[in-house]
Amino acid sequence: MLRIKLAENKDIPFVSSFCGSSLLGTKILCLLNAYGTERDFFSVWYCTDENEIQAVISKFDGSVTVLCNEEKCLGDIKAFLDMIGYTSLCCSERVAPVLASQGFTAKKAYIYRGKHCGECVSDLGEELYRDCYSLICENIPDSFESDEEAYLSFLSDFTFRRRRGLARLKGYTENGRLYSCALTSAETDRAAIISGVACDSSFRRKGLGKVTVLSVAEELKREGKAAYVIALNESAEGFYEHIGFQLTEKISFIERK
């Protein structure tokens, strides 16, 4: 019989072992390691069947992530999601049609398998956070909202996680100006998700974006971490495939109206 339980701090090792180094598991674990289980805006539940975990669900504000291995429990999970409510849902493409009745967008996820030598990018300090945010907004449609409230929300969360070693930010600067950036939007001791890869228009097609994302991927690889990216469009798919990333799965995103 499936049981869905709210995770407590004592359950973190149990949940962590299930999440492992998977992409969705990394997304959940990063927030769990950052915020624990006693925050009003963040909760984690785990689903057990005969004391074996079958799924883990996290909710950060209105954003829900589901990591599920067994299809037999999807009906119960859907009913639970309808009960707790959400504004957006992230899950495997395989389970999306069951968990959400409305349409969803599937994106290809890649894991780094290449080899890159040398880098010209460096860690970016807090004084460049706003420039980085603006560069991402300009280059990646629908990535972030461009208003001040959205930036402050990003700043609060990213700064909190970075100071705990759960996020990083790299880029290329010249004479104090930011020309490229890439960050990890989720990170654990086993894996990380690279996102926010953006390059100033004056440096496009010169290889700077490639060097930036590969520098982050290689750094993660040296630390023994799996490095994931999610391609937002066909152009990004070709870019990542060309520079050493290998398709691993498809992730679905559902926006609830």
Side-chain angles (χ1 to χ4, degrees), residues 27-28 30-32 34-36 39-45 57-66 84-90 153-154 156-158 160-161 185:
K27 192 172 186 287
I28 294 171
C30 178
L31 290 169
L32 184 57
Y35 294 109
R39 304 276 184 167
D40 293 338
F41 56 85
F42 176 67
S43 298
V44 173
W45 298 266
I57 302 164
S58 72
K59 185 178 182 181
F60 184 68
D61 288 332
S63 179
V64 168
T65 301
V66 177
I84 65 172
Y86 60 88
T87 55
S88 64
L89 173 64
C90 178
S153 177
F154 158 83
S156 174
D157 176 55
F158 184 79
F160 185 85
R161 289 185 290 110
S185 57

Side-chain angles (χ1 to χ4, degrees), residues 17 32 51 166 220 236:
S17 64
L32 184 57
N51 296 320
L166 300 171
L220 293 167

